[in-house]
Amino acid sequence: MGLERWQTDSRADRVRVAEALHDTGCAQGDQKRCRPIATVLRTHFRKETRLMLKFTCCDEIRQFRSSDHAQSLRGITRGYERECLRVDDGGRLAQTPHPRTLGSKLTHPWITTDYAEALLEFITPPSQDPAFPLDFLRDIHRFTVRQMREETMWAGSMPCVVGDDKDIAIADYGSSNSAMMKVVYREGLGLRYGRHMQTIAGAHYNWSLPDDFWVILKGCCSGTGSMQDFVSERYFGLIRNFLRFGWLIPYLFGASPAICQSFLQGRRADLQELVPGTLFRPYATSLRMSDLGYQNRAQDQLHVSFNSLAEYTQALETAIRTPDPFYEELGVRDGDHWKQLNANLLQIENEFYAGIRPKRIGKAGERPALALKKYGVEYLEIRLFDLNPFVDIGIAPEQSTFADILLLMCLFRRSPPITAREQGENDENLARIVNRGRQPGLNLLVHNREHPFRPIAHTLFDEMQPFAEMLDVAYAGNDYTSSLASLRARIDHPESTPSAQVLAAAREHNGYFKYAMEQSRRHHANLLAQALDAATLARFEESVKASLAEQQRLESLPQGRFEDYVARYYA
């Protein structure tokens, strides 16, 4: 046929080229017209084949690129949790109680607190509508800001004027045993890690795939065993790949390259002075995710494995039952006052920190590890997002768009078990990105070898492209591919990342505190200017009343001894 170079391709690719040529109306004997077309097609299919070799099987991806099967992706369920500090008009940590007009922080479904009484946490209901989480989060903000009087919501992830540990009040959830459990757990966190670390704020993205997706996937790859085991196994494969490539999130969306000097409380740190009162790392993307923030070295020796559901749950079970000599020395109780729930490596499973966690909503009082073991993985919680101080609700739309693409790529990509050596490599890569991700000439580790960051990032974007296209087919648009193309520009233009823009703004405002305070006030005014319609306002007011009534009902029930309540939890 005059297309002898086909012989270097696989038989499958030669068939695909022939079929594509036939579809174009190209006759086999018409070499002059066919050769350039065949060359383009051959190059495309070679590239696709090389790409597919990195994934579990070609059929899986091809199945979901068809319109019929791609529709199952419309059932992806998403939600956000957004934390933010309440501060007074001088930017200091608010010393007031959680506003009663926001409802009960123990029982309200959407508005609660995380660690501190002043650390708000907003939770959006799970939804299959991609736009709903941020739309509802905006409604929560618009309702909340009207209840705050002289206070505002701090715009950044890293706090500034929080005072001493004793000035950071732990959230008070009431008098019931379930409320006491929350309070004592938080007492323990402060005792173990310090209260300052608990005032850092971020955003969590909750994500799950629908049942019909799993049925199609299990069928096309001839999965064996129960559906529950198959789903959990594939979610854990996704998690392992996220541990390998999740550093893309702090690079693209990290927004905490600087901190107020007061946050350190006199501790020494490897930081430079930007202006008096503001410290920074010149190329940092997310100090929140660095050794100054959530990456607490106290948990380095836990060795929690993500290689299987069984290994993960067993590691957590072991950690909540293994005494730690230092925590024993601190003590569990001082008379009637509980200082921590226990003196073990972890008080409860949620104390274990990771950038991504498998989750399962269990029955009332059922521990997370037991629920996971019994019922399998229900959804994933992605925890690497900083708050974006340029956005009044702290989260930009492209964050969930990118996360959807990245998570799908991680799901379909081959995911061998992570060895101790590779986990060290993954941790080192994340540390390099959060501390100096924008550094010219930055290298990352790949199989014990140093490789330039930018080519690695571009390769991952190439590999994500089919999944952006898959999602665009599902939603009949081009939001995913256009968003991916826009974010790709940040690889070669680090000055366009949020971390670089925050640093520039801190310089312009003569300090991080002044910049963050101005943004907080601007967002406050902007949210106040956005009216809530009568139906939405009524819905929130009713949710406040219902939550207060539910807390009152819980506290009216016989409680029993708190010691017995705690013992039953660990039984």
Side-chain angles (χ1 to χ4, degrees), residues 177 180-181 184 332-333 335-338 341 559-570:
N177 279 335
M180 277 293 296
M181 187 86 170
V184 174
V332 174
R333 296 175 64 174
D336 291 334
H337 174 69
W338 285 68
L341 288 171
Q559 297 296 316
R561 296 196 317 157
F562 182 63
E563 296 93 324
D564 297 335
Y565 181 87
V566 173
R568 284 194 300 273
Y569 179 82
Y570 292 106

mmCIF file with all atom_site columns, all heavy atoms in Angstrom, residues 177 180-181 184 332-333 335-338 341 559-570:
data_model
loop_
_atom_site.group_PDB
_atom_site.id
_atom_site.type_symbol
_atom_site.label_atom_id
_atom_site.label_alt_id
_atom_site.label_comp_id
_atom_site.label_asym_id
_atom_site.label_entity_id
_atom_site.label_seq_id
_atom_site.pdbx_PDB_ins_code
_atom_site.Cartn_x
_atom_site.Cartn_y
_atom_site.Cartn_z
_atom_site.occupancy
_atom_site.B_iso_or_equiv
_atom_site.pdbx_formal_charge
_atom_site.auth_seq_id
_atom_site.auth_comp_id
_atom_site.auth_asym_id
_atom_site.auth_atom_id
_atom_site.pdbx_PDB_model_num
ATOM 1   N N   . ASN A 1 177 ? -22.815 13.765 76.338 1.00 0.00 ? 177 ASN A N   1
ATOM 2   C CA  . ASN A 1 177 ? -21.587 12.971 76.228 1.00 0.00 ? 177 ASN A CA  1
ATOM 3   C C   . ASN A 1 177 ? -20.959 13.089 74.841 1.00 0.00 ? 177 ASN A C   1
ATOM 4   O O   . ASN A 1 177 ? -19.729 13.123 74.716 1.00 0.00 ? 177 ASN A O   1
ATOM 5   C CB  . ASN A 1 177 ? -21.881 11.505 76.551 1.00 0.00 ? 177 ASN A CB  1
ATOM 6   C CG  . ASN A 1 177 ? -21.926 11.242 78.047 1.00 0.00 ? 177 ASN A CG  1
ATOM 7   O OD1 . ASN A 1 177 ? -21.318 11.971 78.827 1.00 0.00 ? 177 ASN A OD1 1
ATOM 8   N ND2 . ASN A 1 177 ? -22.656 10.212 78.455 1.00 0.00 ? 177 ASN A ND2 1
ATOM 9   N N   . MET A 1 180 ? -19.120 16.287 74.889 1.00 0.00 ? 180 MET A N   1
ATOM 10  C CA  . MET A 1 180 ? -17.910 16.166 75.712 1.00 0.00 ? 180 MET A CA  1
ATOM 11  C C   . MET A 1 180 ? -16.811 15.408 74.958 1.00 0.00 ? 180 MET A C   1
ATOM 12  O O   . MET A 1 180 ? -15.625 15.737 75.084 1.00 0.00 ? 180 MET A O   1
ATOM 13  C CB  . MET A 1 180 ? -18.235 15.437 77.006 1.00 0.00 ? 180 MET A CB  1
ATOM 14  C CG  . MET A 1 180 ? -18.827 16.332 78.081 1.00 0.00 ? 180 MET A CG  1
ATOM 15  S SD  . MET A 1 180 ? -17.597 17.539 78.673 1.00 0.00 ? 180 MET A SD  1
ATOM 16  C CE  . MET A 1 180 ? -16.377 16.432 79.399 1.00 0.00 ? 180 MET A CE  1
ATOM 17  N N   . MET A 1 181 ? -17.196 14.403 74.186 1.00 0.00 ? 181 MET A N   1
ATOM 18  C CA  . MET A 1 181 ? -16.229 13.640 73.403 1.00 0.00 ? 181 MET A CA  1
ATOM 19  C C   . MET A 1 181 ? -15.474 14.566 72.445 1.00 0.00 ? 181 MET A C   1
ATOM 20  O O   . MET A 1 181 ? -14.252 14.491 72.307 1.00 0.00 ? 181 MET A O   1
ATOM 21  C CB  . MET A 1 181 ? -16.956 12.548 72.619 1.00 0.00 ? 181 MET A CB  1
ATOM 22  C CG  . MET A 1 181 ? -16.046 11.589 71.889 1.00 0.00 ? 181 MET A CG  1
ATOM 23  S SD  . MET A 1 181 ? -15.535 10.261 72.967 1.00 0.00 ? 181 MET A SD  1
ATOM 24  C CE  . MET A 1 181 ? -14.766 9.156  71.780 1.00 0.00 ? 181 MET A CE  1
ATOM 25  N N   . VAL A 1 184 ? -13.074 16.957 74.613 1.00 0.00 ? 184 VAL A N   1
ATOM 26  C CA  . VAL A 1 184 ? -11.886 16.307 75.164 1.00 0.00 ? 184 VAL A CA  1
ATOM 27  C C   . VAL A 1 184 ? -10.907 15.942 74.052 1.00 0.00 ? 184 VAL A C   1
ATOM 28  O O   . VAL A 1 184 ? -9.682  16.075 74.222 1.00 0.00 ? 184 VAL A O   1
ATOM 29  C CB  . VAL A 1 184 ? -12.272 15.057 75.982 1.00 0.00 ? 184 VAL A CB  1
ATOM 30  C CG1 . VAL A 1 184 ? -11.028 14.305 76.431 1.00 0.00 ? 184 VAL A CG1 1
ATOM 31  C CG2 . VAL A 1 184 ? -13.119 15.451 77.181 1.00 0.00 ? 184 VAL A CG2 1
ATOM 32  N N   . VAL A 1 332 ? -3.898  11.532 81.180 1.00 0.00 ? 332 VAL A N   1
ATOM 33  C CA  . VAL A 1 332 ? -5.218  11.555 80.544 1.00 0.00 ? 332 VAL A CA  1
ATOM 34  C C   . VAL A 1 332 ? -6.190  12.413 81.342 1.00 0.00 ? 332 VAL A C   1
ATOM 35  O O   . VAL A 1 332 ? -6.994  13.145 80.765 1.00 0.00 ? 332 VAL A O   1
ATOM 36  C CB  . VAL A 1 332 ? -5.760  10.113 80.393 1.00 0.00 ? 332 VAL A CB  1
ATOM 37  C CG1 . VAL A 1 332 ? -7.196  10.118 79.868 1.00 0.00 ? 332 VAL A CG1 1
ATOM 38  C CG2 . VAL A 1 332 ? -4.861  9.307  79.453 1.00 0.00 ? 332 VAL A CG2 1
ATOM 39  N N   . ARG A 1 333 ? -6.112  12.337 82.666 1.00 0.00 ? 333 ARG A N   1
ATOM 40  C CA  . ARG A 1 333 ? -7.040  13.098 83.490 1.00 0.00 ? 333 ARG A CA  1
ATOM 41  C C   . ARG A 1 333 ? -6.298  13.790 84.631 1.00 0.00 ? 333 ARG A C   1
ATOM 42  O O   . ARG A 1 333 ? -5.279  13.319 85.108 1.00 0.00 ? 333 ARG A O   1
ATOM 43  C CB  . ARG A 1 333 ? -8.121  12.184 84.065 1.00 0.00 ? 333 ARG A CB  1
ATOM 44  C CG  . ARG A 1 333 ? -9.017  11.563 83.037 1.00 0.00 ? 333 ARG A CG  1
ATOM 45  C CD  . ARG A 1 333 ? -9.997  10.562 83.644 1.00 0.00 ? 333 ARG A CD  1
ATOM 46  N NE  . ARG A 1 333 ? -10.932 11.183 84.573 1.00 0.00 ? 333 ARG A NE  1
ATOM 47  C CZ  . ARG A 1 333 ? -11.953 10.519 85.135 1.00 0.00 ? 333 ARG A CZ  1
ATOM 48  N NH1 . ARG A 1 333 ? -12.147 9.247  84.851 1.00 0.00 ? 333 ARG A NH1 1
ATOM 49  N NH2 . ARG A 1 333 ? -12.771 11.146 85.965 1.00 0.00 ? 333 ARG A NH2 1
ATOM 50  N N   . GLY A 1 335 ? -7.837  14.800 87.970 1.00 0.00 ? 335 GLY A N   1
ATOM 51  C CA  . GLY A 1 335 ? -9.079  14.793 88.738 1.00 0.00 ? 335 GLY A CA  1
ATOM 52  C C   . GLY A 1 335 ? -10.255 14.525 87.818 1.00 0.00 ? 335 GLY A C   1
ATOM 53  O O   . GLY A 1 335 ? -10.264 13.563 87.047 1.00 0.00 ? 335 GLY A O   1
ATOM 54  N N   . ASP A 1 336 ? -11.254 15.412 87.855 1.00 0.00 ? 336 ASP A N   1
ATOM 55  C CA  . ASP A 1 336 ? -12.422 15.262 86.984 1.00 0.00 ? 336 ASP A CA  1
ATOM 56  C C   . ASP A 1 336 ? -12.191 15.844 85.591 1.00 0.00 ? 336 ASP A C   1
ATOM 57  O O   . ASP A 1 336 ? -13.018 15.651 84.695 1.00 0.00 ? 336 ASP A O   1
ATOM 58  C CB  . ASP A 1 336 ? -13.639 15.951 87.616 1.00 0.00 ? 336 ASP A CB  1
ATOM 59  C CG  . ASP A 1 336 ? -14.118 15.227 88.866 1.00 0.00 ? 336 ASP A CG  1
ATOM 60  O OD1 . ASP A 1 336 ? -13.866 14.008 88.970 1.00 0.00 ? 336 ASP A OD1 1
ATOM 61  O OD2 . ASP A 1 336 ? -14.717 15.885 89.737 1.00 0.00 ? 336 ASP A OD2 1
ATOM 62  N N   . HIS A 1 337 ? -11.096 16.569 85.417 1.00 0.00 ? 337 HIS A N   1
ATOM 63  C CA  . HIS A 1 337 ? -10.817 17.208 84.132 1.00 0.00 ? 337 HIS A CA  1
ATOM 64  C C   . HIS A 1 337 ? -10.090 16.249 83.193 1.00 0.00 ? 337 HIS A C   1
ATOM 65  O O   . HIS A 1 337 ? -9.027  15.720 83.524 1.00 0.00 ? 337 HIS A O   1
ATOM 66  C CB  . HIS A 1 337 ? -9.974  18.470 84.329 1.00 0.00 ? 337 HIS A CB  1
ATOM 67  C CG  . HIS A 1 337 ? -9.532  19.097 83.031 1.00 0.00 ? 337 HIS A CG  1
ATOM 68  N ND1 . HIS A 1 337 ? -10.412 19.701 82.163 1.00 0.00 ? 337 HIS A ND1 1
ATOM 69  C CD2 . HIS A 1 337 ? -8.297  19.204 82.456 1.00 0.00 ? 337 HIS A CD2 1
ATOM 70  C CE1 . HIS A 1 337 ? -9.755  20.147 81.117 1.00 0.00 ? 337 HIS A CE1 1
ATOM 71  N NE2 . HIS A 1 337 ? -8.471  19.854 81.263 1.00 0.00 ? 337 HIS A NE2 1
ATOM 72  N N   . TRP A 1 338 ? -10.677 16.038 82.027 1.00 0.00 ? 338 TRP A N   1
ATOM 73  C CA  . TRP A 1 338 ? -10.052 15.183 81.004 1.00 0.00 ? 338 TRP A CA  1
ATOM 74  C C   . TRP A 1 338 ? -9.102  16.031 80.159 1.00 0.00 ? 338 TRP A C   1
ATOM 75  O O   . TRP A 1 338 ? -9.502  17.042 79.575 1.00 0.00 ? 338 TRP A O   1
ATOM 76  C CB  . TRP A 1 338 ? -11.109 14.561 80.106 1.00 0.00 ? 338 TRP A CB  1
ATOM 77  C CG  . TRP A 1 338 ? -11.881 13.438 80.742 1.00 0.00 ? 338 TRP A CG  1
ATOM 78  C CD1 . TRP A 1 338 ? -12.775 13.539 81.773 1.00 0.00 ? 338 TRP A CD1 1
ATOM 79  C CD2 . TRP A 1 338 ? -11.826 12.056 80.387 1.00 0.00 ? 338 TRP A CD2 1
ATOM 80  N NE1 . TRP A 1 338 ? -13.288 12.311 82.081 1.00 0.00 ? 338 TRP A NE1 1
ATOM 81  C CE2 . TRP A 1 338 ? -12.718 11.367 81.244 1.00 0.00 ? 338 TRP A CE2 1
ATOM 82  C CE3 . TRP A 1 338 ? -11.118 11.327 79.434 1.00 0.00 ? 338 TRP A CE3 1
ATOM 83  C CZ2 . TRP A 1 338 ? -12.926 9.997  81.176 1.00 0.00 ? 338 TRP A CZ2 1
ATOM 84  C CZ3 . TRP A 1 338 ? -11.325 9.962  79.357 1.00 0.00 ? 338 TRP A CZ3 1
ATOM 85  C CH2 . TRP A 1 338 ? -12.211 9.300  80.231 1.00 0.00 ? 338 TRP A CH2 1
ATOM 86  N N   . LEU A 1 341 ? -8.365  12.019 75.386 1.00 0.00 ? 341 LEU A N   1
ATOM 87  C CA  . LEU A 1 341 ? -9.221  10.829 75.446 1.00 0.00 ? 341 LEU A CA  1
ATOM 88  C C   . LEU A 1 341 ? -8.457  9.597  75.909 1.00 0.00 ? 341 LEU A C   1
ATOM 89  O O   . LEU A 1 341 ? -9.009  8.708  76.557 1.00 0.00 ? 341 LEU A O   1
ATOM 90  C CB  . LEU A 1 341 ? -9.851  10.560 74.078 1.00 0.00 ? 341 LEU A CB  1
ATOM 91  C CG  . LEU A 1 341 ? -10.945 11.532 73.651 1.00 0.00 ? 341 LEU A CG  1
ATOM 92  C CD1 . LEU A 1 341 ? -11.341 11.285 72.196 1.00 0.00 ? 341 LEU A CD1 1
ATOM 93  C CD2 . LEU A 1 341 ? -12.168 11.413 74.561 1.00 0.00 ? 341 LEU A CD2 1
ATOM 94  N N   . GLN A 1 559 ? -27.633 10.636 80.275 1.00 0.00 ? 559 GLN A N   1
ATOM 95  C CA  . GLN A 1 559 ? -26.300 10.610 79.684 1.00 0.00 ? 559 GLN A CA  1
ATOM 96  C C   . GLN A 1 559 ? -25.416 9.470  80.213 1.00 0.00 ? 559 GLN A C   1
ATOM 97  O O   . GLN A 1 559 ? -24.596 8.936  79.487 1.00 0.00 ? 559 GLN A O   1
ATOM 98  C CB  . GLN A 1 559 ? -25.585 11.944 79.916 1.00 0.00 ? 559 GLN A CB  1
ATOM 99  C CG  . GLN A 1 559 ? -26.261 13.131 79.247 1.00 0.00 ? 559 GLN A CG  1
ATOM 100 C CD  . GLN A 1 559 ? -26.280 13.033 77.735 1.00 0.00 ? 559 GLN A CD  1
ATOM 101 O OE1 . GLN A 1 559 ? -25.285 12.684 77.123 1.00 0.00 ? 559 GLN A OE1 1
ATOM 102 N NE2 . GLN A 1 559 ? -27.431 13.325 77.132 1.00 0.00 ? 559 GLN A NE2 1
ATOM 103 N N   . GLY A 1 560 ? -25.548 9.139  81.446 1.00 0.00 ? 560 GLY A N   1
ATOM 104 C CA  . GLY A 1 560 ? -24.638 8.145  82.020 1.00 0.00 ? 560 GLY A CA  1
ATOM 105 C C   . GLY A 1 560 ? -23.265 8.757  82.257 1.00 0.00 ? 560 GLY A C   1
ATOM 106 O O   . GLY A 1 560 ? -23.010 9.929  81.983 1.00 0.00 ? 560 GLY A O   1
ATOM 107 N N   . ARG A 1 561 ? -22.354 7.934  82.755 1.00 0.00 ? 561 ARG A N   1
ATOM 108 C CA  . ARG A 1 561 ? -21.018 8.431  83.047 1.00 0.00 ? 561 ARG A CA  1
ATOM 109 C C   . ARG A 1 561 ? -20.216 8.586  81.751 1.00 0.00 ? 561 ARG A C   1
ATOM 110 O O   . ARG A 1 561 ? -20.268 7.735  80.859 1.00 0.00 ? 561 ARG A O   1
ATOM 111 C CB  . ARG A 1 561 ? -20.289 7.470  83.979 1.00 0.00 ? 561 ARG A CB  1
ATOM 112 C CG  . ARG A 1 561 ? -20.925 7.327  85.355 1.00 0.00 ? 561 ARG A CG  1
ATOM 113 C CD  . ARG A 1 561 ? -19.960 6.678  86.326 1.00 0.00 ? 561 ARG A CD  1
ATOM 114 N NE  . ARG A 1 561 ? -19.240 5.554  85.730 1.00 0.00 ? 561 ARG A NE  1
ATOM 115 C CZ  . ARG A 1 561 ? -18.078 5.095  86.169 1.00 0.00 ? 561 ARG A CZ  1
ATOM 116 N NH1 . ARG A 1 561 ? -17.491 5.688  87.207 1.00 0.00 ? 561 ARG A NH1 1
ATOM 117 N NH2 . ARG A 1 561 ? -17.503 4.059  85.596 1.00 0.00 ? 561 ARG A NH2 1
ATOM 118 N N   . PHE A 1 562 ? -19.456 9.679  81.682 1.00 0.00 ? 562 PHE A N   1
ATOM 119 C CA  . PHE A 1 562 ? -18.654 9.926  80.477 1.00 0.00 ? 562 PHE A CA  1
ATOM 120 C C   . PHE A 1 562 ? -17.612 8.830  80.299 1.00 0.00 ? 562 PHE A C   1
ATOM 121 O O   . PHE A 1 562 ? -17.307 8.424  79.174 1.00 0.00 ? 562 PHE A O   1
ATOM 122 C CB  . PHE A 1 562 ? -17.989 11.298 80.556 1.00 0.00 ? 562 PHE A CB  1
ATOM 123 C CG  . PHE A 1 562 ? -17.183 11.652 79.334 1.00 0.00 ? 562 PHE A CG  1
ATOM 124 C CD1 . PHE A 1 562 ? -17.784 11.782 78.090 1.00 0.00 ? 562 PHE A CD1 1
ATOM 125 C CD2 . PHE A 1 562 ? -15.807 11.845 79.420 1.00 0.00 ? 562 PHE A CD2 1
ATOM 126 C CE1 . PHE A 1 562 ? -17.044 12.094 76.963 1.00 0.00 ? 562 PHE A CE1 1
ATOM 127 C CE2 . PHE A 1 562 ? -15.055 12.166 78.299 1.00 0.00 ? 562 PHE A CE2 1
ATOM 128 C CZ  . PHE A 1 562 ? -15.688 12.286 77.066 1.00 0.00 ? 562 PHE A CZ  1
ATOM 129 N N   . GLU A 1 563 ? -17.046 8.323  81.401 1.00 0.00 ? 563 GLU A N   1
ATOM 130 C CA  . GLU A 1 563 ? -16.062 7.246  81.308 1.00 0.00 ? 563 GLU A CA  1
ATOM 131 C C   . GLU A 1 563 ? -16.637 6.034  80.582 1.00 0.00 ? 563 GLU A C   1
ATOM 132 O O   . GLU A 1 563 ? -15.966 5.408  79.758 1.00 0.00 ? 563 GLU A O   1
ATOM 133 C CB  . GLU A 1 563 ? -15.602 6.814  82.708 1.00 0.00 ? 563 GLU A CB  1
ATOM 134 C CG  . GLU A 1 563 ? -14.868 7.887  83.477 1.00 0.00 ? 563 GLU A CG  1
ATOM 135 C CD  . GLU A 1 563 ? -15.799 8.695  84.367 1.00 0.00 ? 563 GLU A CD  1
ATOM 136 O OE1 . GLU A 1 563 ? -16.960 8.943  83.945 1.00 0.00 ? 563 GLU A OE1 1
ATOM 137 O OE2 . GLU A 1 563 ? -15.368 9.091  85.465 1.00 0.00 ? 563 GLU A OE2 1
ATOM 138 N N   . ASP A 1 564 ? -17.888 5.698  80.878 1.00 0.00 ? 564 ASP A N   1
ATOM 139 C CA  . ASP A 1 564 ? -18.531 4.555  80.236 1.00 0.00 ? 564 ASP A CA  1
ATOM 140 C C   . ASP A 1 564 ? -18.791 4.832  78.759 1.00 0.00 ? 564 ASP A C   1
ATOM 141 O O   . ASP A 1 564 ? -18.671 3.941  77.924 1.00 0.00 ? 564 ASP A O   1
ATOM 142 C CB  . ASP A 1 564 ? -19.844 4.226  80.945 1.00 0.00 ? 564 ASP A CB  1
ATOM 143 C CG  . ASP A 1 564 ? -19.631 3.814  82.396 1.00 0.00 ? 564 ASP A CG  1
ATOM 144 O OD1 . ASP A 1 564 ? -18.514 3.340  82.712 1.00 0.00 ? 564 ASP A OD1 1
ATOM 145 O OD2 . ASP A 1 564 ? -20.562 3.987  83.200 1.00 0.00 ? 564 ASP A OD2 1
ATOM 146 N N   . TYR A 1 565 ? -19.143 6.065  78.465 1.00 0.00 ? 565 TYR A N   1
ATOM 147 C CA  . TYR A 1 565 ? -19.391 6.452  77.072 1.00 0.00 ? 565 TYR A CA  1
ATOM 148 C C   . TYR A 1 565 ? -18.114 6.279  76.239 1.00 0.00 ? 565 TYR A C   1
ATOM 149 O O   . TYR A 1 565 ? -18.142 5.728  75.138 1.00 0.00 ? 565 TYR A O   1
ATOM 150 C CB  . TYR A 1 565 ? -19.866 7.907  77.033 1.00 0.00 ? 565 TYR A CB  1
ATOM 151 C CG  . TYR A 1 565 ? -20.194 8.430  75.644 1.00 0.00 ? 565 TYR A CG  1
ATOM 152 C CD1 . TYR A 1 565 ? -21.456 8.257  75.101 1.00 0.00 ? 565 TYR A CD1 1
ATOM 153 C CD2 . TYR A 1 565 ? -19.237 9.126  74.894 1.00 0.00 ? 565 TYR A CD2 1
ATOM 154 C CE1 . TYR A 1 565 ? -21.767 8.751  73.842 1.00 0.00 ? 565 TYR A CE1 1
ATOM 155 C CE2 . TYR A 1 565 ? -19.532 9.614  73.637 1.00 0.00 ? 565 TYR A CE2 1
ATOM 156 C CZ  . TYR A 1 565 ? -20.795 9.422  73.111 1.00 0.00 ? 565 TYR A CZ  1
ATOM 157 O OH  . TYR A 1 565 ? -21.090 9.891  71.860 1.00 0.00 ? 565 TYR A OH  1
ATOM 158 N N   . VAL A 1 566 ? -16.989 6.732  76.786 1.00 0.00 ? 566 VAL A N   1
ATOM 159 C CA  . VAL A 1 566 ? -15.712 6.604  76.099 1.00 0.00 ? 566 VAL A CA  1
ATOM 160 C C   . VAL A 1 566 ? -15.334 5.132  75.936 1.00 0.00 ? 566 VAL A C   1
ATOM 161 O O   . VAL A 1 566 ? -14.889 4.701  74.860 1.00 0.00 ? 566 VAL A O   1
ATOM 162 C CB  . VAL A 1 566 ? -14.602 7.373  76.842 1.00 0.00 ? 566 VAL A CB  1
ATOM 163 C CG1 . VAL A 1 566 ? -13.234 7.100  76.227 1.00 0.00 ? 566 VAL A CG1 1
ATOM 164 C CG2 . VAL A 1 566 ? -14.895 8.872  76.829 1.00 0.00 ? 566 VAL A CG2 1
ATOM 165 N N   . ALA A 1 567 ? -15.524 4.349  76.978 1.00 0.00 ? 567 ALA A N   1
ATOM 166 C CA  . ALA A 1 567 ? -15.173 2.924  76.921 1.00 0.00 ? 567 ALA A CA  1
ATOM 167 C C   . ALA A 1 567 ? -15.984 2.205  75.851 1.00 0.00 ? 567 ALA A C   1
ATOM 168 O O   . ALA A 1 567 ? -15.456 1.338  75.120 1.00 0.00 ? 567 ALA A O   1
ATOM 169 C CB  . ALA A 1 567 ? -15.395 2.288  78.289 1.00 0.00 ? 567 ALA A CB  1
ATOM 170 N N   . ARG A 1 568 ? -17.277 2.545  75.736 1.00 0.00 ? 568 ARG A N   1
ATOM 171 C CA  . ARG A 1 568 ? -18.113 1.899  74.700 1.00 0.00 ? 568 ARG A CA  1
ATOM 172 C C   . ARG A 1 568 ? -17.634 2.263  73.311 1.00 0.00 ? 568 ARG A C   1
ATOM 173 O O   . ARG A 1 568 ? -17.702 1.447  72.384 1.00 0.00 ? 568 ARG A O   1
ATOM 174 C CB  . ARG A 1 568 ? -19.580 2.320  74.883 1.00 0.00 ? 568 ARG A CB  1
ATOM 175 C CG  . ARG A 1 568 ? -20.292 1.628  76.030 1.00 0.00 ? 568 ARG A CG  1
ATOM 176 C CD  . ARG A 1 568 ? -21.801 1.817  75.932 1.00 0.00 ? 568 ARG A CD  1
ATOM 177 N NE  . ARG A 1 568 ? -22.197 3.216  75.968 1.00 0.00 ? 568 ARG A NE  1
ATOM 178 C CZ  . ARG A 1 568 ? -22.425 3.898  77.091 1.00 0.00 ? 568 ARG A CZ  1
ATOM 179 N NH1 . ARG A 1 568 ? -22.292 3.292  78.273 1.00 0.00 ? 568 ARG A NH1 1
ATOM 180 N NH2 . ARG A 1 568 ? -22.794 5.161  77.029 1.00 0.00 ? 568 ARG A NH2 1
ATOM 181 N N   . TYR A 1 569 ? -17.131 3.484  73.143 1.00 0.00 ? 569 TYR A N   1
ATOM 182 C CA  . TYR A 1 569 ? -16.654 3.906  71.817 1.00 0.00 ? 569 TYR A CA  1
ATOM 183 C C   . TYR A 1 569 ? -15.494 3.030  71.359 1.00 0.00 ? 569 TYR A C   1
ATOM 184 O O   . TYR A 1 569 ? -15.409 2.670  70.179 1.00 0.00 ? 569 TYR A O   1
ATOM 185 C CB  . TYR A 1 569 ? -16.228 5.377  71.874 1.00 0.00 ? 569 TYR A CB  1
ATOM 186 C CG  . TYR A 1 569 ? -15.708 5.911  70.562 1.00 0.00 ? 569 TYR A CG  1
ATOM 187 C CD1 . TYR A 1 569 ? -16.581 6.344  69.577 1.00 0.00 ? 569 TYR A CD1 1
ATOM 188 C CD2 . TYR A 1 569 ? -14.334 5.979  70.297 1.00 0.00 ? 569 TYR A CD2 1
ATOM 189 C CE1 . TYR A 1 569 ? -16.118 6.830  68.368 1.00 0.00 ? 569 TYR A CE1 1
ATOM 190 C CE2 . TYR A 1 569 ? -13.862 6.462  69.091 1.00 0.00 ? 569 TYR A CE2 1
ATOM 191 C CZ  . TYR A 1 569 ? -14.757 6.889  68.134 1.00 0.00 ? 569 TYR A CZ  1
ATOM 192 O OH  . TYR A 1 569 ? -14.279 7.355  66.935 1.00 0.00 ? 569 TYR A OH  1
ATOM 193 N N   . TYR A 1 570 ? -14.605 2.680  72.270 1.00 0.00 ? 570 TYR A N   1
ATOM 194 C CA  . TYR A 1 570 ? -13.422 1.910  71.887 1.00 0.00 ? 570 TYR A CA  1
ATOM 195 C C   . TYR A 1 570 ? -13.645 0.390  71.963 1.00 0.00 ? 570 TYR A C   1
ATOM 196 O O   . TYR A 1 570 ? -12.755 -0.370 71.582 1.00 0.00 ? 570 TYR A O   1
ATOM 197 C CB  . TYR A 1 570 ? -12.237 2.278  72.786 1.00 0.00 ? 570 TYR A CB  1
ATOM 198 C CG  . TYR A 1 570 ? -11.748 3.685  72.570 1.00 0.00 ? 570 TYR A CG  1
ATOM 199 C CD1 . TYR A 1 570 ? -12.007 4.685  73.498 1.00 0.00 ? 570 TYR A CD1 1
ATOM 200 C CD2 . TYR A 1 570 ? -11.033 4.023  71.420 1.00 0.00 ? 570 TYR A CD2 1
ATOM 201 C CE1 . TYR A 1 570 ? -11.567 5.984  73.296 1.00 0.00 ? 570 TYR A CE1 1
ATOM 202 C CE2 . TYR A 1 570 ? -10.593 5.314  71.206 1.00 0.00 ? 570 TYR A CE2 1
ATOM 203 C CZ  . TYR A 1 570 ? -10.869 6.287  72.149 1.00 0.00 ? 570 TYR A CZ  1
ATOM 204 O OH  . TYR A 1 570 ? -10.434 7.572  71.944 1.00 0.00 ? 570 TYR A OH  1
#
